[in-house]
Amino acid sequence: MNPASEDRLLGEYRLKELVAENDVSRTWLAEQISVSRRVLVDELRADRPECREAFLADIRAKAGVDHPLVGSVYEAVDAADVCFFAHELLPGETLAEQVQAGKTLLPARLAHVLRRIAEAQLQHESLGQATSAMDVDAVHIDSHGVIRLKNLVIAGARDPVQSQGDAVRLGNSMVALIAAGKPGATRIQTVLSWMRGEGIDEPISWSQVRDFCMQVEHQLADPLSSLSPTQIDMFGRKKAPIGMIAGITAAGLLGIFILAFKMRPPTPTAPPRAELPAPVDIPAGKYPTPDGVEESFPAFRLASHETTIDEYDAFLQTLAVLAKSNGEHTFDHPKQPEKKISHEPDGWPALLALAKANGVIDGKPVTLDSPVVGIDWWDAAAYAEWKKGRLPTQEEWFAALNYQVKAPAAIVPGIWAPVATTSTDRTPAGLLGMAGSLAEWTAELESNPANPLGERHWVIIGGSYLKPGSNALTREWIDDRQLRRQDLGFRVLFEVK
C-alpha cells in the first residue's frame, strides 16, 4: 500500500507513516520518544471495538515469545479511547524483497537461513504456539547477515497442519533465492522439494529440515574460510588435493541422492552427550605462585574445564535476546573499546556448524563440548560476568593447579578435544586441560620475571596443543587484549562468599 503521512502521538509514540492496514488494525512506523527508537505500532481501528478482546489476546501471545530470532513486543496499552501495542522494527531486507529485487544467496548461506527458521519453528511447536502463515516476507536479514523473524504468534491452540503449511510455502518461495550453479545448489533444491512434499511419503518435519540444513552447511563449509591467513596457519591446514575435494563433493551429493531414492528423509539422531564436570572447589590456604613465593588465598571455585562451544553459544544467544532492547552490552567490561561491538569469535558460524555436526578439523573431533577458540580477553571477561564469575588471576590459576599436585610440570598435556574426564591432562582434584588443550586468558596485568622492572603485560597461562613443549607452567606476556588465536581460550573463577 502507499504509505500515508501521519504525525500524531499515541502514548509516547509519535506516528510517522501508515505501513499496513487490515479490517481490524493499522500498523504504523513510529518513534518511541523517550529513547528515540524507531518501532512499529499496531493500533486497533476505532470502528472495530468488538475485536478488542481478540486483539489483546494476540498481543499477550506475542509477548510470551522468548526466542533470539523472533521480534519483541515492547509495550501494550489498553485504554478507554485507544488500544495498541509497540513492537520491534526488524532491521534489513526481507527475503521477499530480495526475491523481488532478483537477489540470490549462496547455498551454504541459504542453508543457514533455513536452519535458523527451523529452530524458531521448533520452539513454536514445542510450546504449542499458534502462528499466522509464514512466508519469505517474515524473514529479515540485515547488512551484517543477522537473521530475524517477524513475530507471527497469535492466540489459540496451534493448528496440527501449521508447520506443514509453512514448510510448503517456504519450499516454494525460497527456490528463487538459490544461487544457481554454485556448490550445494542441488542439495538445497532437494531440501526445498521435500518441504513441498515432493518425493517423500510423509511431510518433512522442522527438526529434519534443521538437521538436513546443518548437514549441508557442514558439507559446504571450509571451516577456515572465514579465518585470516594467520589463523589458517595456526590450524596447520594444507590445501587438499583436487581428487580429495572431488571425492568429498561426490560423497555429499551421493548422500542426498540416496536419501531421495529412499523417498523418505530419515530423522538423524545425535550421539549422547555426557554431563560436563562441575567447577572444582579450591580450599583456602597457602599456595605457591608462578614466581616462586607462597601466598594465602581465600577459598574459590575454578571451572574444571575451559569454556566450551556450547556454553559460549548460550552466551551469544543471551546477547541476541538482549540486543532486541539495546542491552547487548550488559556484560561488557567497563573499559572495553567502543570499536568492539561483537563478542562473536573468529570463524564462529563455521566452527558452530562443525560442532553441531560432530565434525573434524585436522583429524581432531569437534563437538559442542570442545573448548571455544577465537576469542579475545574482552569476550572472555564478558562471558565470565554473564556467568556471575570472573577470569582468574595467574596466581589463582596457579594455586588451583598446585592443589593436590606435587609436580605440575609432569601432567601429560592434552590435545584440543571435547571435554572428557578420562583425559590424561587432569589434576587429582579434577581440573582438565591445564597442561595442554588451550592456553588461557588471565585477569590482570603482571610483570615478566625476566624483566621485573619493565612494563606489565597481560598473561596467557597453561599449555597449548599448537606449541610442542608447552605445559601447565607455560606463560606468555602480551600487550593486546584483542588478540585472538585458535589455541587460546579461558575458564571462569567463582568466588566463595
Side-chain angles (χ1 to χ4, degrees):
M1 64 180 298
N2 294 324
S5 178
E6 182 87 1
D7 194 17
R8 66 183 172 94
L9 287 178
L10 196 59
E12 69 160 328
Y13 302 94
R14 187 179 301 280
L15 307 185
K16 296 294 186 181
E17 291 181 352
L18 179 64
V19 295
E21 184 174 12
N22 57 41
D23 62 347
V24 174
S25 63
R26 296 184 175 93
T27 301
W28 301 90
L29 176 64
E31 179 188 8
Q32 186 177 1
I33 299 172
S34 61
V35 292
S36 299
R37 175 171 58 183
R38 281 158 52 91
V39 301
L40 293 176
V41 170
D42 281 29
E43 177 188 24
L44 179 69
R45 290 171 55 135
D47 58 349
R48 297 304 302 271
E50 71 279 8
C51 298
R52 180 180 289 249
E53 287 305 315
F55 183 71
L56 290 171
D58 283 345
I59 296 172
R60 286 191 290 269
K62 292 180 190 297
V65 177
D66 183 15
H67 192 283
L69 297 186
V70 179
S72 299
V73 172
Y74 293 139
E75 180 185 13
V77 174
D78 179 24
D81 54 340
V82 293
C83 184
F84 68 90
F85 75 101
H87 55 106
E88 186 177 4
L89 175 63
L90 299 179
E93 285 186 316
T94 67
L95 291 185
E97 291 169 332
Q98 295 195 19
V99 169
Q100 187 173 11
K103 298 180 181 179
T104 59
L105 297 175
L106 291 174
R109 180 61 181 158
L110 196 55
H112 177 72
V113 172
L114 191 51
R115 174 170 66 83
R116 300 295 275 163
I117 293 171
E119 290 169 350
Q121 292 289 72
L122 283 170
Q123 176 162 311
H124 293 325
E125 285 183 345
S126 67
L127 298 177
Q129 294 169 331
T131 55
S132 52
M134 183 179 194
D135 208 339
V136 286
D137 59 346
V139 184
H140 294 244
I141 302 180
D142 70 13
S143 58
H144 301 290
V146 176
I147 303 161
R148 301 297 305 285
L149 305 178
K150 183 179 179 181
N151 192 331
L152 299 176
V153 172
I154 55 177
R158 186 174 181 83
D159 191 326
V161 299
Q162 182 66 56
S163 291
Q164 182 181 350
D166 290 341
V168 170
R169 276 185 294 275
L170 290 168
N172 283 306
S173 303
M174 294 181 76
V175 171
L177 290 164
I178 301 175
K182 299 295 184 180
T186 301
R187 278 167 270 185
I188 287 295
Q189 288 171 350
T190 301
V191 175
L192 293 178
S193 71
W194 286 338
M195 291 171 62
R196 299 192 298 270
E198 299 171 6
I200 56 177
D201 295 335
E202 298 178 1
I204 192 171
S205 68
W206 280 117
S207 62
Q208 289 172 318
V209 172
R210 176 200 61 197
D211 292 339
F212 285 132
C213 288
M214 189 183 300
Q215 291 171 12
V216 172
E217 285 183 88
H218 176 45
Q219 290 164 356
L220 295 178
D222 173 357
L224 304 176
S225 60
S226 58
L227 304 180
S228 69
T230 301
Q231 293 160 340
I232 292 173
D233 290 340
M234 286 182 174
F235 268 97
R237 177 171 292 275
K238 298 179 181 179
K239 293 184 178 179
I242 293 176
M244 183 182 296
I245 295 173
I248 293 171
T249 303
L253 290 173
L254 179 60
I256 292 293
F257 291 145
I258 289 174
L259 291 172
F261 179 78
K262 289 184 177 180
M263 305 294 281
R264 180 180 300 174
T267 303
T269 57
R273 292 172 57 194
E275 184 175 349
L276 295 176
V280 174
D281 291 311
I282 308 300
K286 286 189 174 182
Y287 295 93
T289 70
D291 298 325
V293 298
E294 278 198 341
E295 185 176 332
S296 294
F297 293 87
F300 62 89
R301 305 179 74 213
L302 187 65
S304 61
H305 56 85
E306 293 147 339
T307 300
T308 67
I309 293 171
D310 189 47
E311 290 172 324
Y312 199 84
D313 184 44
F315 168 59
L316 292 181
Q317 290 188 36
T318 299
L319 295 186
V321 172
L322 292 172
K324 294 189 290 187
S325 55
N326 298 320
E328 63 269 32
H329 300 299
T330 300
F331 304 105
D332 288 358
H333 190 276
K335 295 184 179 180
Q336 179 171 303
E338 291 185 4
K339 64 181 181 180
K340 181 174 176 60
I341 59 174
S342 171
H343 289 297
E344 186 172 291
D346 286 338
W348 179 246
L351 180 62
L352 183 60
L354 274 176
K356 288 184 175 181
N358 297 320
V360 175
I361 294 179
D362 286 345
K364 300 177 183 65
V366 183
T367 75
L368 290 170
D369 293 332
S370 296
V372 69
V373 296
I375 50 87
D376 62 26
W377 189 95
W378 306 105
D379 302 325
Y383 175 92
E385 177 70 17
W386 174 64
K387 292 293 288 186
K388 299 181 180 179
R390 59 175 173 82
L391 294 178
T393 65
Q394 67 162 352
E395 290 81 11
E396 289 167 332
W397 194 97
F398 200 75
L401 171 68
N402 279 270
Y403 176 54
Q404 297 183 352
V405 175
K406 293 182 178 179
I411 298 173
V412 179
I415 63 170
W416 179 54
V419 173
T421 56
T422 55
S423 171
T424 58
D425 192 344
R426 173 187 173 91
T427 72
L431 293 169
L432 306 170
M434 306 284 273
S437 190
L438 306 178
E440 300 176 22
W441 285 108
T442 60
E444 298 175 352
L445 290 164
E446 303 283 355
S447 297
N448 186 336
N451 184 20
L453 299 181
E455 185 178 356
R456 296 192 304 162
H457 291 87
W458 300 97
V459 177
I460 295 170
I461 198 166
S464 157
Y465 80 102
L466 284 181
K467 295 184 177 181
S470 63
N471 59 34
L473 303 183
T474 300
R475 286 185 290 170
E476 302 173 66
W477 286 263
I478 56 103
D479 59 4
D480 183 9
R481 280 189 278 183
Q482 297 190 69
L483 173 70
R484 286 178 163 183
R485 298 192 326 216
Q486 299 308 313
D487 70 334
L488 181 54
F490 68 99
R491 69 183 72 215
V492 179
L493 179 143
F494 303 92
E495 295 180 344
V496 176
K497 298 180 180 180

